[in-house]
Amino acid sequence: MELAQKILVPLLAMLIFLGLWEGVVWINDWPDYKMASPSDLPPAFVKYHALFLSGGWETLWRTVAGLVLAVIFGTGLGMVMGFSRIARAGLYPLLVGFNAIPKATLVPVIALVFIGQYDFNTVLMAFLISFFPIAVSVGIGLSTLEPEYRDILAALGASKFTIFRKIALPKTLPEFFGALKVSVTLAFIGTNLVEIVSPHGKGLGALFLSGQTNSDYPLMFAVLIALAALGIVLYYAVVALERIFAGWAERSPG
């Protein structure tokens, strides 16, 4: 029953959203060059299915690569900040300041520094835009670790690694996966920024730009739906990992 609810409720919500979208376009009698409706999108998917498959793969692997780097770097940086007050005091202002910079302004800078390295630039942008939530969540999780637990294990002769594995790591996992869910969507934004802005862009972002250039609005909206679908798939992949490694932290409502 619970599994069916978790599947049927999101599907029902999506159908309601698509129905409302279709209804708004129909009521206002908008042409597809002003606002494409869901019923306008299937022909675009069929016509450009090969480009959607290749572009979707290009976008997905770069996003996942950037996300993996964000997990590695963000977790390491979060551990440094979590275990050291000095590091936390010094790094937090820098991280907040960097995160406040509009990432679109970094695309031409990165393109100039790494000329011709399109794949590297795209992965780098996905990483830069997604590591911040992970670093902050891990840092906060470790810095708020109850000292009495650590002191008890230390008194029993436990090593620092054992204390980290038995106390710090389990406590941090819920915050980590919560941040990872946010980072998934941010990584897609980073990837598409480069795909759209770069003159040699590939992936779904480039396909969106092609639709804009040719005033093919159903294609543009179809790309947006494809990006949303990829984001949802990756989000639920993170949810599956969370249930495996931190399922114990989930509490049933009521």
Side-chain angles (χ1 to χ4, degrees):
M1 180 64 181
E2 183 180 356
L3 180 60
Q5 182 179 353
K6 290 182 178 180
I7 295 175
L8 293 178
V9 171
L11 287 177
L12 180 61
M14 292 179 190
L15 290 175
I16 292 174
F17 168 76
L18 293 175
L20 290 173
W21 179 4
E22 184 78 31
V24 168
V25 175
W26 181 77
I27 291 173
N28 290 279
D29 196 24
W30 286 332
D32 62 7
Y33 59 80
K34 184 174 183 179
M35 171 67 79
S37 66
S39 58
D40 294 322
L41 306 187
F45 282 117
V46 172
K47 182 177 180 180
Y48 301 103
H49 68 278
L51 292 177
F52 272 104
L53 290 175
S54 61
W57 168 247
E58 293 277 357
T59 296
L60 182 62
W61 82 258
R62 294 188 183 94
T63 301
V64 172
L67 192 60
V68 169
L69 291 177
V71 168
I72 296 171
F73 181 80
T75 301
L77 191 60
M79 290 175 64
V80 171
M81 293 189 297
F83 288 127
S84 171
R85 291 184 179 180
I86 296 177
R88 187 161 61 250
L91 291 174
Y92 255 106
L94 295 176
L95 287 175
V96 172
F98 176 78
N99 196 57
I101 298 174
K103 298 305 180 288
T105 62
L106 295 179
V107 174
V109 176
I110 293 175
L112 286 174
V113 174
F114 305 103
I115 298 176
Q117 303 297 319
Y118 173 75
D119 288 341
F120 177 80
N121 294 346
T122 310
V123 172
L124 179 61
M125 180 55 67
F127 157 73
L128 289 176
I129 204 171
S130 60
F131 84 91
F132 178 78
I134 298 174
V136 171
S137 67
V138 172
I140 292 176
L142 293 178
S143 64
T144 56
L145 179 65
E146 292 83 352
E148 55 268 22
Y149 295 152
R150 183 174 53 217
D151 295 340
I152 290 173
L153 285 178
L156 294 174
S159 64
K160 290 185 177 181
F161 176 76
T162 301
I163 294 174
F164 172 77
R165 183 169 60 88
K166 295 290 187 180
I167 302 296
L169 183 59
K171 183 184 183 302
T172 307
L173 281 177
E175 289 90 348
F176 167 78
F177 280 108
L180 188 57
K181 293 173 186 176
V182 176
S183 295
V184 163
T185 57
L186 293 178
F188 271 107
I189 293 174
T191 302
N192 280 275
L193 275 176
V194 179
E195 290 178 346
I196 292 174
V197 174
S198 174
H200 305 291
K202 305 174 185 176
L204 292 178
L207 189 57
F208 177 88
L209 187 62
S210 174
Q212 182 183 33
T213 303
N214 295 292
S215 299
D216 191 342
Y217 294 97
L219 173 60
M220 293 170 61
F221 280 93
V223 170
L224 295 179
I225 294 299
L227 286 171
L230 286 179
I232 292 172
V233 169
L234 208 53
Y235 172 86
Y236 278 104
V238 173
V239 170
L241 291 175
E242 181 183 25
R243 289 179 180 172
I244 294 173
F245 295 104
W248 51 267
E250 185 176 354
R251 298 289 184 268
S252 300

